[in-house]
Amino acid sequence: MKIKNIIITLCFSLGLLSCNNYLDVSDELAGGLQNLDMVFSNVDYTKRYYANIFTGIPDYSGIVEGSNGLGNPWTGICDELYVHFGPGTYTLSDKNSETIPSSYHRWGDLYKLIRQTNIFLSRVKPIQESGTQAAQLLPDEVADMKANARFMRAFYHYLLFEQYGSIQLVKDSVFNSTDNFDIPRAPLDEVINYIDAELLSVSKELRQEPIKDDQYNAWPTKGVALAVRAKLWLYAASPLFNGEYREALQVMTPYGINGEMQHMYPNANPTKWEKAKSAAEDFIDYANENNRYVLYSTGNPTDDVYDMFQKYTDEIIWATSNNNWGGMDGDSFDRRITPRSEQNGLGSTAVYQELIDDFYMKDGLPINKTNFLPESPLYSEEGFTTVNGTPIFNMWVNREPRFYNTVFYAGRKWHITNNEIQFYNGSPNDKSGQHAKTGYLLYKRFNRTVHKRNPGVTSKFRPSIIFRLAEFYLVYAEALNEVDPSNPNVLLYINKVRERAGLPKLEVLNPTIKGNKDLQREAIIRERRIELATEGQRYFDIRRWMIADKPAAMQNKDMHGMNMEGGKDEFFQRAKIHRNVFNRKMYLFPIPYWEMRKTAGAVVQNPGWN
């Protein structure tokens, strides 16, 4: 049998996602390999099989280049970015489940990986191959591999829950091609409790300390498991999954004995916030002990909010070296962020005006009055101020450091060439061809040494961050605020994030915010909006809070930027770019259309989709 046929046969039987990587071996090594017994009797094949379990780790650098549900299309289908050129074109339809791009779904990929993980856990064993220099797989190594695999199985269930809500609970079952996989979705509380129990159990078996070796930073640790658990309960306690999505409360699933119908989504349970607080405290206590994780801060906010994305730091809880930055020779993140007027730039990942407006001024105040803070006297949309020898529209003057790290705007000079970048009609970066539709380019997470000029630095490694400490400070503050708003730790942990960005404490700007649950909640929502901008969280946040159809974060509305139709003088006006679409059924992602076509009635669709 030819090696190609062997690989195809084995891949088909295992349901692998990336078989070309799984068995990238020579004819001599793979000769005769035809079944799972042979895989798990060989050290090299076992390790290759094990490695493939990790291929579902999300890559939140994947904004463009056809990003899928395990990348970051999410920032392009909410109110953060306009990503509408080439393979990274994002559209989220409200019509029916068939119109949702298949690439957005995690469903198929993750259930394949869960199956592969369960096969691995049921078959892996210590191996001592014959020969004087034979490879071996020792019991301790097998134990570590099994712990990591168990975590990944729980994490994949969590990722499915994050996107779809109630899911099919596979647990440790291995479904073969002859088995009936038309099993009902479990009631949501059972899904949450299963994931919670698995994470708690495996957290004791994983590496107990953060991994400092860059070669192994993608491996899960106790800290990673506790972080996932904190987010799990944050979701579980939030309005979407805690009884406030009224349409979901009517959905029934045939999950009971003999197919009796049960409610898929639970009624409100305020005690879930207690569980969310407890899970967040477990992580915070672990992080604070011996400074396992610390916010990256040198005391220079301008540099810190840039540098923390450029290297592994003690703020990173989990990251992957697999990324989609792409460099200046690809058609991905780096090139899409570089202005078209710079060599090899495509300049088309555009920031919405709505995100621009939500950044604070350098005094820590918003541009418009909110319930929790007054408007800043520093803000103006009239006139220009000379900055670095260039007139800059006053809308962008005196902003906070995170604004300047996130947004590249008209008149700013490109860091490599010192060229002044303009976007008005008739300029080198205007609306002709691929362009920044809003008149703003994304700048966050770009590496400022990357360029195509000769001699160039066409690519630069930096980790793709999955979890970082600043997010979990805000997770903790949010859960604590819902349970005990007068606890000083609510503001303490929000302020840790603000102060790293060079902003004053909230209670200094507004003393009445202390202990006020509603005001503190609004401050947390705003802080997550800014601190985690374009990192793949906003899409899920506005849904779990159920504010996507409310004024606080209305998604069904016109989106804006600068006037790309205008010349040099007319450019500096707000203009409609397009209209985002949202209705209430979009609070939950639909089960894939192809899955619903296969079911004989066991799998029930999320409310409103057909």
Side-chain angles (χ1 to χ4, degrees), residues 259-273:
E260 285 94 349
M261 302 300 284
Q262 297 184 2
H263 284 281
M264 189 181 294
Y265 292 97
N267 290 317
N269 181 356
T271 65
K272 287 182 179 177
W273 278 116

Side-chain angles (χ1 to χ4, degrees), residues 31-83:
L33 183 62
Q34 298 181 56
N35 57 56
L36 285 168
D37 289 336
M38 300 181 77
V39 170
F40 291 103
S41 297
N42 180 286
V43 173
D44 186 48
Y45 295 151
T46 298
K47 289 183 176 180
R48 289 174 187 269
Y49 192 101
Y50 168 71
N52 204 67
I53 290 171
F54 295 86
T55 57
I57 292 177
D59 168 22
Y60 293 105
S61 72
I63 292 175
V64 293
E65 192 66 21
S67 178
N68 60 29
L70 294 173
N72 188 8
W74 317 113
T75 185
I77 50 178
C78 65
D79 55 359
E80 292 185 319
L81 299 181
Y82 185 98
V83 187

Side-chain angles (χ1 to χ4, degrees), residues 115-136:
R115 180 177 185 273
Q116 181 178 347
T117 303
N118 285 338
I119 290 172
F120 176 84
L121 289 169
S122 67
R123 287 180 174 264
V124 67
K125 61 184 184 298
I127 302 172
Q128 178 62 65
E129 297 178 358
S130 59
T132 55
Q133 294 184 333
Q136 58 183 352

